[in-house]
Amino acid sequence: MNEIIKIEGLRKRFGDNEVLKGITTSVKQGEVVAIIGPSGCGKSTFLRSINLLEEPTEGKILIDGIDLTSRDVDINKMRQRVGMVFQQFNLFPNMTIRHNIMLAPVELGKMTREEADEKATELLSRIGLLDKADSYPDSLSGGQKQRVAIVRALAMNPEVLLFDEPTSALDPEMVGEVLQLMKDVAAEGMTMVVVTHEMGFAREVANRVLFFSDGYITEDGTPEEVFNHPKSPRLQEFLGKVL
Ligand code: ADP
Ligand code: MG
């Protein structure tokens, strides 16, 4: 299988604080990778680096063989291929739900308004929210907002989807509907990198789990390996707290 994401020697420093200390890994097409680890260990910084929302201090990020850190890369074009879903949804509050979904494909010249409108209808039907198309995000529950944010990312037909703790801001009763949509998207073959606290999701849906600690990936394995046979005391301690 194709390596769609390649990270080589990634380091990231904020002032004196070296958060990522040399990360080398890759993600194959269609893989679902869960990232776990203690708070503050650099999971978000790593994820944000994959579409250059954070600029690496050192190292390379390659998407489909194209080095994002190289000067002559059109980063906006590359970002269209790598969608991102945030903890706080980041929907535009002053736009209807339909327009939230249509915005990027139209503004970035990927679709005509008619095509984007059709796509929005299809995506909202898929998540059972077509009747909300002309409402504003405020009228939705947290779970509905996050499902809209996910299909908004899908509207661009990305090759990779990054998720940063997509269920952490939700009331517990809404977590399931968001995880279910993510499972469906994974089952369709989307390459996904998911920072998550949901160990159940990581176990069930991920092909691979990466454990971050102290600025490194310290374990990398199948859910079975990472959850049932953790090698390091650090991971054993972490799992003891979260499971
Ligand atoms: P995690 O997502 O694993 O909780 P983060 O990647 O958000 O961790 O943060 C890792 C470390 O980097 C923390 O110490 C955090 O304070 C620091 N950090 C993150 N973003 C910035 C920033 N923009 N400026 C300075 N420090 C930052
Ligand atoms: Mg984070």
Side-chain angles (χ1 to χ4, degrees), residues 207-242:
N207 311 111
R208 241 172 98 203
V209 180
L210 306 181
F211 176 61
F212 273 58
S213 63
D214 307 319
Y216 299 98
I217 296 174
T218 51
E219 298 209 24
D220 175 348
T222 63
E224 155 76 12
E225 286 164 348
V226 169
F227 291 116
N228 298 358
H229 307 283
K231 291 188 210 116
S232 64
R234 194 80 186 75
L235 175 56
Q236 287 161 11
E237 183 200 334
F238 175 78
L239 293 175
K241 284 185 196 149
V242 297

mmCIF file of all heavy atoms in Angstrom, residues 207-242:
data_model
loop_
_atom_site.group_PDB
_atom_site.id
_atom_site.type_symbol
_atom_site.label_atom_id
_atom_site.label_comp_id
_atom_site.label_asym_id
_atom_site.label_seq_id
_atom_site.Cartn_x
_atom_site.Cartn_y
_atom_site.Cartn_z
ATOM 1 N N ASN A 207 -6.471 0.893 12.849
ATOM 2 C CA ASN A 207 -5.589 -0.207 12.455
ATOM 3 C C ASN A 207 -4.308 -0.149 13.272
ATOM 4 O O ASN A 207 -3.617 -1.135 13.443
ATOM 5 C CB ASN A 207 -5.154 -0.085 10.980
ATOM 6 C CG ASN A 207 -6.308 0.163 10.064
ATOM 7 O OD1 ASN A 207 -6.424 1.248 9.497
ATOM 8 N ND2 ASN A 207 -7.174 -0.821 9.933
ATOM 9 N N ARG A 208 -4.006 1.094 13.720
ATOM 10 C CA ARG A 208 -2.732 1.325 14.403
ATOM 11 C C ARG A 208 -2.928 2.362 15.483
ATOM 12 O O ARG A 208 -3.717 3.294 15.316
ATOM 13 C CB ARG A 208 -1.753 1.903 13.395
ATOM 14 C CG ARG A 208 -0.533 1.088 13.155
ATOM 15 C CD ARG A 208 0.195 1.719 12.002
ATOM 16 N NE ARG A 208 1.260 2.560 12.444
ATOM 17 C CZ ARG A 208 1.758 3.554 11.717
ATOM 18 N NH1 ARG A 208 1.252 3.857 10.535
ATOM 19 N NH2 ARG A 208 2.758 4.257 12.176
ATOM 20 N N VAL A 209 -2.209 2.191 16.564
ATOM 21 C CA VAL A 209 -2.271 3.158 17.653
ATOM 22 C C VAL A 209 -0.855 3.654 17.923
ATOM 23 O O VAL A 209 0.074 2.857 18.035
ATOM 24 C CB VAL A 209 -2.866 2.518 18.933
ATOM 25 C CG1 VAL A 209 -2.925 3.534 20.064
ATOM 26 C CG2 VAL A 209 -4.259 1.949 18.656
ATOM 27 N N LEU A 210 -0.712 4.978 17.991
ATOM 28 C CA LEU A 210 0.582 5.573 18.338
ATOM 29 C C LEU A 210 0.473 6.176 19.726
ATOM 30 O O LEU A 210 -0.464 6.931 19.999
ATOM 31 C CB LEU A 210 0.950 6.694 17.349
ATOM 32 C CG LEU A 210 0.945 6.377 15.862
ATOM 33 C CD1 LEU A 210 1.369 7.607 15.061
ATOM 34 C CD2 LEU A 210 1.882 5.216 15.567
ATOM 35 N N PHE A 211 1.419 5.850 20.585
ATOM 36 C CA PHE A 211 1.452 6.446 21.920
ATOM 37 C C PHE A 211 2.541 7.510 21.948
ATOM 38 O O PHE A 211 3.705 7.225 21.681
ATOM 39 C CB PHE A 211 1.725 5.369 22.978
ATOM 40 C CG PHE A 211 1.870 5.917 24.372
ATOM 41 C CD1 PHE A 211 0.824 6.614 24.988
ATOM 42 C CD2 PHE A 211 3.049 5.734 25.084
ATOM 43 C CE1 PHE A 211 0.961 7.115 26.283
ATOM 44 C CE2 PHE A 211 3.188 6.230 26.380
ATOM 45 C CZ PHE A 211 2.144 6.924 26.977
ATOM 46 N N PHE A 212 2.138 8.737 22.223
ATOM 47 C CA PHE A 212 3.081 9.846 22.312
ATOM 48 C C PHE A 212 3.446 10.065 23.767
ATOM 49 O O PHE A 212 2.569 10.109 24.633
ATOM 50 C CB PHE A 212 2.420 11.144 21.797
ATOM 51 C CG PHE A 212 2.531 11.353 20.312
ATOM 52 C CD1 PHE A 212 2.033 10.420 19.419
ATOM 53 C CD2 PHE A 212 3.125 12.505 19.804
ATOM 54 C CE1 PHE A 212 2.124 10.626 18.046
ATOM 55 C CE2 PHE A 212 3.219 12.722 18.433
ATOM 56 C CZ PHE A 212 2.717 11.784 17.556
ATOM 57 N N SER A 213 4.741 10.226 24.022
ATOM 58 C CA SER A 213 5.137 10.707 25.344
ATOM 59 C C SER A 213 6.502 11.352 25.229
ATOM 60 O O SER A 213 7.347 10.923 24.429
ATOM 61 C CB SER A 213 5.133 9.579 26.369
ATOM 62 O OG SER A 213 6.069 8.588 26.033
ATOM 63 N N ASP A 214 6.691 12.395 25.990
ATOM 64 C CA ASP A 214 7.980 13.112 26.061
ATOM 65 C C ASP A 214 8.517 13.511 24.693
ATOM 66 O O ASP A 214 9.729 13.507 24.475
ATOM 67 C CB ASP A 214 9.024 12.244 26.796
ATOM 68 C CG ASP A 214 8.510 11.783 28.158
ATOM 69 O OD1 ASP A 214 7.880 12.608 28.838
ATOM 70 O OD2 ASP A 214 8.692 10.593 28.503
ATOM 71 N N GLY A 215 7.636 13.849 23.774
ATOM 72 C CA GLY A 215 8.085 14.369 22.490
ATOM 73 C C GLY A 215 8.426 13.323 21.440
ATOM 74 O O GLY A 215 8.907 13.660 20.361
ATOM 75 N N TYR A 216 8.184 12.060 21.789
ATOM 76 C CA TYR A 216 8.469 10.972 20.858
ATOM 77 C C TYR A 216 7.239 10.076 20.703
ATOM 78 O O TYR A 216 6.367 10.062 21.568
ATOM 79 C CB TYR A 216 9.602 10.078 21.382
ATOM 80 C CG TYR A 216 10.913 10.782 21.564
ATOM 81 C CD1 TYR A 216 11.293 11.232 22.830
ATOM 82 C CD2 TYR A 216 11.767 10.992 20.493
ATOM 83 C CE1 TYR A 216 12.515 11.881 23.012
ATOM 84 C CE2 TYR A 216 12.984 11.634 20.661
ATOM 85 C CZ TYR A 216 13.350 12.082 21.922
ATOM 86 O OH TYR A 216 14.541 12.716 22.094
ATOM 87 N N ILE A 217 7.227 9.287 19.618
ATOM 88 C CA ILE A 217 6.285 8.171 19.542
ATOM 89 C C ILE A 217 6.979 7.034 20.267
ATOM 90 O O ILE A 217 7.981 6.514 19.787
ATOM 91 C CB ILE A 217 5.993 7.772 18.084
ATOM 92 C CG1 ILE A 217 5.288 8.916 17.354
ATOM 93 C CG2 ILE A 217 5.134 6.500 18.040
ATOM 94 C CD1 ILE A 217 5.088 8.664 15.861
ATOM 95 N N THR A 218 6.452 6.638 21.413
ATOM 96 C CA THR A 218 7.178 5.622 22.180
ATOM 97 C C THR A 218 6.595 4.225 21.990
ATOM 98 O O THR A 218 7.254 3.251 22.329
ATOM 99 C CB THR A 218 7.269 5.987 23.670
ATOM 100 O OG1 THR A 218 5.957 6.298 24.133
ATOM 101 C CG2 THR A 218 8.152 7.199 23.878
ATOM 102 N N GLU A 219 5.357 4.143 21.489
ATOM 103 C CA GLU A 219 4.869 2.825 21.070
ATOM 104 C C GLU A 219 4.022 2.988 19.823
ATOM 105 O O GLU A 219 3.337 3.997 19.657
ATOM 106 C CB GLU A 219 4.084 2.124 22.194
ATOM 107 C CG GLU A 219 4.979 1.880 23.407
ATOM 108 C CD GLU A 219 4.616 0.672 24.252
ATOM 109 O OE1 GLU A 219 3.983 -0.274 23.737
ATOM 110 O OE2 GLU A 219 4.998 0.702 25.440
ATOM 111 N N ASP A 220 4.084 1.999 18.975
ATOM 112 C CA ASP A 220 3.410 2.044 17.678
ATOM 113 C C ASP A 220 3.025 0.605 17.359
ATOM 114 O O ASP A 220 3.892 -0.239 17.160
ATOM 115 C CB ASP A 220 4.409 2.591 16.647
ATOM 116 C CG ASP A 220 3.878 2.576 15.218
ATOM 117 O OD1 ASP A 220 2.835 1.940 14.952
ATOM 118 O OD2 ASP A 220 4.520 3.201 14.357
ATOM 119 N N GLY A 221 1.739 0.324 17.392
ATOM 120 C CA GLY A 221 1.347 -1.058 17.120
ATOM 121 C C GLY A 221 -0.134 -1.173 16.833
ATOM 122 O O GLY A 221 -0.845 -0.172 16.735
ATOM 123 N N THR A 222 -0.582 -2.406 16.694
ATOM 124 C CA THR A 222 -2.011 -2.639 16.518
ATOM 125 C C THR A 222 -2.699 -2.329 17.849
ATOM 126 O O THR A 222 -2.040 -2.307 18.898
ATOM 127 C CB THR A 222 -2.278 -4.114 16.175
ATOM 128 O OG1 THR A 222 -1.855 -4.912 17.290
ATOM 129 C CG2 THR A 222 -1.539 -4.545 14.917
ATOM 130 N N PRO A 223 -4.012 -2.107 17.832
ATOM 131 C CA PRO A 223 -4.716 -1.877 19.101
ATOM 132 C C PRO A 223 -4.464 -3.022 20.085
ATOM 133 O O PRO A 223 -4.256 -2.788 21.279
ATOM 134 C CB PRO A 223 -6.185 -1.815 18.678
ATOM 135 C CG PRO A 223 -6.160 -1.375 17.262
ATOM 136 C CD PRO A 223 -4.906 -1.955 16.670
ATOM 137 N N GLU A 224 -4.452 -4.239 19.562
ATOM 138 C CA GLU A 224 -4.189 -5.409 20.418
ATOM 139 C C GLU A 224 -2.821 -5.289 21.110
ATOM 140 O O GLU A 224 -2.702 -5.500 22.320
ATOM 141 C CB GLU A 224 -4.295 -6.681 19.542
ATOM 142 C CG GLU A 224 -3.537 -7.903 19.999
ATOM 143 C CD GLU A 224 -4.196 -8.636 21.162
ATOM 144 O OE1 GLU A 224 -5.359 -8.325 21.455
ATOM 145 O OE2 GLU A 224 -3.520 -9.503 21.772
ATOM 146 N N GLU A 225 -1.800 -4.920 20.346
ATOM 147 C CA GLU A 225 -0.449 -4.789 20.924
ATOM 148 C C GLU A 225 -0.389 -3.668 21.948
ATOM 149 O O GLU A 225 0.139 -3.835 23.050
ATOM 150 C CB GLU A 225 0.581 -4.511 19.807
ATOM 151 C CG GLU A 225 0.890 -5.742 18.971
ATOM 152 C CD GLU A 225 1.582 -5.411 17.639
ATOM 153 O OE1 GLU A 225 1.629 -4.222 17.231
ATOM 154 O OE2 GLU A 225 2.060 -6.361 17.004
ATOM 155 N N VAL A 226 -0.936 -2.511 21.565
ATOM 156 C CA VAL A 226 -0.789 -1.334 22.428
ATOM 157 C C VAL A 226 -1.652 -1.444 23.691
ATOM 158 O O VAL A 226 -1.194 -1.125 24.788
ATOM 159 C CB VAL A 226 -1.113 -0.050 21.625
ATOM 160 C CG1 VAL A 226 -1.234 1.158 22.542
ATOM 161 C CG2 VAL A 226 -0.028 0.185 20.575
ATOM 162 N N PHE A 227 -2.875 -1.912 23.540
ATOM 163 C CA PHE A 227 -3.767 -1.944 24.706
ATOM 164 C C PHE A 227 -3.581 -3.201 25.562
ATOM 165 O O PHE A 227 -3.690 -3.147 26.769
ATOM 166 C CB PHE A 227 -5.238 -1.831 24.277
ATOM 167 C CG PHE A 227 -5.578 -0.477 23.736
ATOM 168 C CD1 PHE A 227 -5.972 -0.311 22.413
ATOM 169 C CD2 PHE A 227 -5.495 0.653 24.544
ATOM 170 C CE1 PHE A 227 -6.274 0.945 21.910
ATOM 171 C CE2 PHE A 227 -5.797 1.917 24.051
ATOM 172 C CZ PHE A 227 -6.190 2.063 22.725
ATOM 173 N N ASN A 228 -3.308 -4.325 24.913
ATOM 174 C CA ASN A 228 -3.227 -5.571 25.687
ATOM 175 C C ASN A 228 -1.808 -5.947 26.085
ATOM 176 O O ASN A 228 -1.616 -6.691 27.043
ATOM 177 C CB ASN A 228 -3.855 -6.732 24.912
ATOM 178 C CG ASN A 228 -5.341 -6.493 24.650
ATOM 179 O OD1 ASN A 228 -5.886 -5.475 25.082
ATOM 180 N ND2 ASN A 228 -5.979 -7.403 23.942
ATOM 181 N N HIS A 229 -0.816 -5.415 25.337
ATOM 182 C CA HIS A 229 0.568 -5.762 25.665
ATOM 183 C C HIS A 229 1.462 -4.525 25.644
ATOM 184 O O HIS A 229 2.446 -4.482 24.896
ATOM 185 C CB HIS A 229 1.100 -6.809 24.660
ATOM 186 C CG HIS A 229 0.214 -8.012 24.548
ATOM 187 N ND1 HIS A 229 0.186 -9.008 25.499
ATOM 188 C CD2 HIS A 229 -0.715 -8.357 23.613
ATOM 189 C CE1 HIS A 229 -0.709 -9.922 25.139
ATOM 190 N NE2 HIS A 229 -1.272 -9.546 24.012
ATOM 191 N N PRO A 230 1.112 -3.511 26.439
ATOM 192 C CA PRO A 230 1.953 -2.306 26.460
ATOM 193 C C PRO A 230 3.352 -2.664 26.949
ATOM 194 O O PRO A 230 3.499 -3.435 27.892
ATOM 195 C CB PRO A 230 1.236 -1.388 27.454
ATOM 196 C CG PRO A 230 0.390 -2.290 28.290
ATOM 197 C CD PRO A 230 0.012 -3.450 27.413
ATOM 198 N N LYS A 231 4.374 -2.121 26.261
ATOM 199 C CA LYS A 231 5.745 -2.518 26.601
ATOM 200 C C LYS A 231 6.336 -1.631 27.691
ATOM 201 O O LYS A 231 7.028 -2.116 28.570
ATOM 202 C CB LYS A 231 6.634 -2.433 25.349
ATOM 203 C CG LYS A 231 6.290 -3.488 24.316
ATOM 204 C CD LYS A 231 7.325 -3.478 23.182
ATOM 205 C CE LYS A 231 6.711 -3.923 21.872
ATOM 206 N NZ LYS A 231 6.711 -2.883 20.851
ATOM 207 N N SER A 232 6.089 -0.318 27.579
ATOM 208 C CA SER A 232 6.773 0.589 28.497
ATOM 209 C C SER A 232 5.938 0.849 29.741
ATOM 210 O O SER A 232 4.711 0.858 29.689
ATOM 211 C CB SER A 232 7.043 1.917 27.787
ATOM 212 O OG SER A 232 5.808 2.525 27.457
ATOM 213 N N PRO A 233 6.612 1.082 30.876
ATOM 214 C CA PRO A 233 5.915 1.475 32.103
ATOM 215 C C PRO A 233 5.077 2.744 31.891
ATOM 216 O O PRO A 233 3.998 2.886 32.451
ATOM 217 C CB PRO A 233 7.062 1.761 33.089
ATOM 218 C CG PRO A 233 8.253 1.075 32.532
ATOM 219 C CD PRO A 233 8.067 0.976 31.057
ATOM 220 N N ARG A 234 5.593 3.635 31.047
ATOM 221 C CA ARG A 234 4.919 4.912 30.753
ATOM 222 C C ARG A 234 3.519 4.653 30.155
ATOM 223 O O ARG A 234 2.549 5.277 30.545
ATOM 224 C CB ARG A 234 5.816 5.663 29.751
ATOM 225 C CG ARG A 234 5.521 7.083 29.565
ATOM 226 C CD ARG A 234 6.116 7.940 30.682
ATOM 227 N NE ARG A 234 5.670 9.313 30.509
ATOM 228 C CZ ARG A 234 4.445 9.730 30.797
ATOM 229 N NH1 ARG A 234 3.569 8.898 31.276
ATOM 230 N NH2 ARG A 234 4.095 10.979 30.589
ATOM 231 N N LEU A 235 3.461 3.738 29.185
ATOM 232 C CA LEU A 235 2.171 3.421 28.560
ATOM 233 C C LEU A 235 1.283 2.630 29.524
ATOM 234 O O LEU A 235 0.072 2.874 29.600
ATOM 235 C CB LEU A 235 2.387 2.640 27.249
ATOM 236 C CG LEU A 235 1.125 2.128 26.537
ATOM 237 C CD1 LEU A 235 0.138 3.259 26.243
ATOM 238 C CD2 LEU A 235 1.496 1.425 25.225
ATOM 239 N N GLN A 236 1.888 1.729 30.282
ATOM 240 C CA GLN A 236 1.099 0.973 31.258
ATOM 241 C C GLN A 236 0.438 1.920 32.255
ATOM 242 O O GLN A 236 -0.744 1.791 32.567
ATOM 243 C CB GLN A 236 1.998 -0.031 31.995
ATOM 244 C CG GLN A 236 2.386 -1.203 31.099
ATOM 245 C CD GLN A 236 3.605 -1.955 31.618
ATOM 246 O OE1 GLN A 236 4.059 -1.746 32.738
ATOM 247 N NE2 GLN A 236 4.150 -2.835 30.791
ATOM 248 N N GLU A 237 1.199 2.898 32.696
ATOM 249 C CA GLU A 237 0.683 3.874 33.653
ATOM 250 C C GLU A 237 -0.451 4.702 33.019
ATOM 251 O O GLU A 237 -1.503 4.909 33.623
ATOM 252 C CB GLU A 237 1.831 4.792 34.088
ATOM 253 C CG GLU A 237 1.451 5.799 35.141
ATOM 254 C CD GLU A 237 2.453 6.972 35.187
ATOM 255 O OE1 GLU A 237 3.629 6.790 34.811
ATOM 256 O OE2 GLU A 237 2.026 8.068 35.587
ATOM 257 N N PHE A 238 -0.210 5.131 31.769
ATOM 258 C CA PHE A 238 -1.227 5.916 31.058
ATOM 259 C C PHE A 238 -2.524 5.107 30.907
ATOM 260 O O PHE A 238 -3.612 5.599 31.198
ATOM 261 C CB PHE A 238 -0.687 6.341 29.688
ATOM 262 C CG PHE A 238 -1.706 7.053 28.828
ATOM 263 C CD1 PHE A 238 -2.027 8.385 29.053
ATOM 264 C CD2 PHE A 238 -2.357 6.381 27.798
ATOM 265 C CE1 PHE A 238 -2.980 9.039 28.275
ATOM 266 C CE2 PHE A 238 -3.305 7.023 27.011
ATOM 267 C CZ PHE A 238 -3.618 8.358 27.255
ATOM 268 N N LEU A 239 -2.391 3.873 30.467
ATOM 269 C CA LEU A 239 -3.591 3.042 30.268
ATOM 270 C C LEU A 239 -4.293 2.771 31.600
ATOM 271 O O LEU A 239 -5.525 2.716 31.659
ATOM 272 C CB LEU A 239 -3.223 1.721 29.578
ATOM 273 C CG LEU A 239 -2.735 1.852 28.128
ATOM 274 C CD1 LEU A 239 -2.282 0.500 27.592
ATOM 275 C CD2 LEU A 239 -3.816 2.457 27.233
ATOM 276 N N GLY A 240 -3.520 2.651 32.648
ATOM 277 C CA GLY A 240 -4.097 2.458 33.969
ATOM 278 C C GLY A 240 -5.014 3.599 34.369
ATOM 279 O O GLY A 240 -6.015 3.399 35.056
ATOM 280 N N LYS A 241 -4.680 4.787 33.872
ATOM 281 C CA LYS A 241 -5.504 5.961 34.217
ATOM 282 C C LYS A 241 -6.723 6.104 33.321
ATOM 283 O O LYS A 241 -7.742 6.612 33.758
ATOM 284 C CB LYS A 241 -4.663 7.235 34.077
ATOM 285 C CG LYS A 241 -3.696 7.430 35.224
ATOM 286 C CD LYS A 241 -2.989 8.782 35.080
ATOM 287 C CE LYS A 241 -1.771 8.840 35.969
ATOM 288 N NZ LYS A 241 -0.737 9.689 35.390
ATOM 289 N N VAL A 242 -6.588 5.716 32.053
ATOM 290 C CA VAL A 242 -7.679 6.017 31.105
ATOM 291 C C VAL A 242 -8.612 4.842 30.837
ATOM 292 O O VAL A 242 -9.702 5.050 30.314
ATOM 293 C CB VAL A 242 -7.160 6.580 29.762
ATOM 294 C CG1 VAL A 242 -6.445 7.903 29.981
ATOM 295 C CG2 VAL A 242 -6.276 5.577 29.043
#
